[in-house]
Amino acid sequence: MITFPNAKINLGLHITQKRKDGYHEIESCMVPIPLCDALEMILDKKPSWNVTGLEVPGDPKDNLILKAEKLLKKDFQGLPSLQIHLHKHIPMGAGLGGGSADGAFALKLMNNLFDLHLDDFFLEEYAAELGSDCPFFIENTPKIIRGRGEILDPCSVSLQGSHLVLIHPGIHVGTKEAYAGVVPQAPKNKLETILADRSRWKEELINDFEPSVFQAHPELA
């Protein structure tokens, strides 16, 4: 079976407070976009892991796809082995959620492949164990995200008919670096109110990562 994990963009991103567990409380509107990786899984007695396309750094055991497989096999004993092939196309360290999408789509693909019949609620719980952005990709529709990313509320925002331009200058900004430069604070205006009026987006749709990241990488600004 093959699936195509897609990227997302954030319309506004507020870091509202630091949590005792080390995570941050956030508020954002996430919207899926049609920029995709490709993920294939085949039942096979000999498990394998293969990555093509963009180079994926780090130890393979830290990849969210393999972590997703491990999560399900912990709770569902006797699941068969898999040949897994990831073709990486979504740039990493760009805030597009490619790794999170891969992990979430892996859960959905295995749910179908293994006939587990898990509904979205349970898949979102598994996804939350993988990472903060992962639950969003289970339903994969526009959502207001709160908490550390696990609180999802439907959002009526639509970019239908709009043109989206993504510019990737080859700069990798890791999650740790992005959060390190932020001083958490409550937003001045309610995100839903701003999103409801497209004329307010340019001036009021704020991403709290921008000030410190732009200072570290002026070419992004």
Side-chain angles (χ1 to χ4, degrees), residues 53-64:
L54 297 175
E55 181 182 356
V56 178
D59 192 323
K61 69 179 177 58
D62 294 325
N63 190 281
L64 294 186

Side-chain angles (χ1 to χ4, degrees), residues 68-87:
E69 181 186 20
K70 188 175 180 180
L71 267 181
L72 291 183
K73 287 190 172 181
K74 180 181 71 174
D75 288 349
F76 297 91
Q77 302 297 318
L79 292 180
S81 298
L82 293 170
Q83 287 188 3
I84 303 174
H85 176 206
L86 172 66
H87 183 76

Side-chain angles (χ1 to χ4, degrees), residues 198-212:
R198 187 76 71 97
S199 69
R200 299 176 63 175
W201 287 19
K202 183 174 181 179
E203 300 298 329
E204 297 183 58
L205 206 55
I206 303 300
N207 187 320
D208 284 347
F209 286 144
E210 287 186 355
S212 61

Side-chain angles (χ1 to χ4, degrees), residues 4-48:
F4 298 93
N6 57 268
K8 56 83 178 170
I9 58 169
N10 292 74
L11 298 178
L13 175 62
H14 303 298
I15 315 300
T16 59
Q17 66 180 28
K18 180 78 176 285
R19 295 159 48 127
K20 292 181 179 179
D21 60 8
Y23 288 98
H24 290 78
E25 292 279 332
I26 66 170
E27 179 186 66
S28 183
C29 175
M30 291 186 184
V31 180
I33 61 172
L35 172 67
C36 301
D37 292 337
L39 175 61
E40 183 180 31
M41 292 183 174
I42 300 172
L43 298 175
D44 198 287
K45 293 180 180 180
K46 294 182 179 179
S48 65

Side-chain angles (χ1 to χ4, degrees), residues 1-6 37-41 49 63-72 79 82 84-86 98-114 116 118 123 126-127 130 134 137-138:
M1 297 180 75
I2 189 167
T3 189
F4 298 93
N6 57 268
D37 292 337
L39 175 61
E40 183 180 31
M41 292 183 174
W49 166 250
N63 190 281
L64 294 186
I65 295 170
L66 299 183
K67 285 188 173 183
E69 181 186 20
K70 188 175 180 180
L71 267 181
L72 291 183
L79 292 180
L82 293 170
I84 303 174
H85 176 206
L86 172 66
S100 298
D102 292 341
F105 273 72
L107 288 171
K108 294 193 286 186
L109 188 58
M110 287 184 287
N111 188 40
N112 292 328
L113 195 59
F114 298 144
L116 300 179
L118 296 170
L123 289 173
Y126 279 115
L130 296 177
C134 294
F137 289 101
I138 298 300

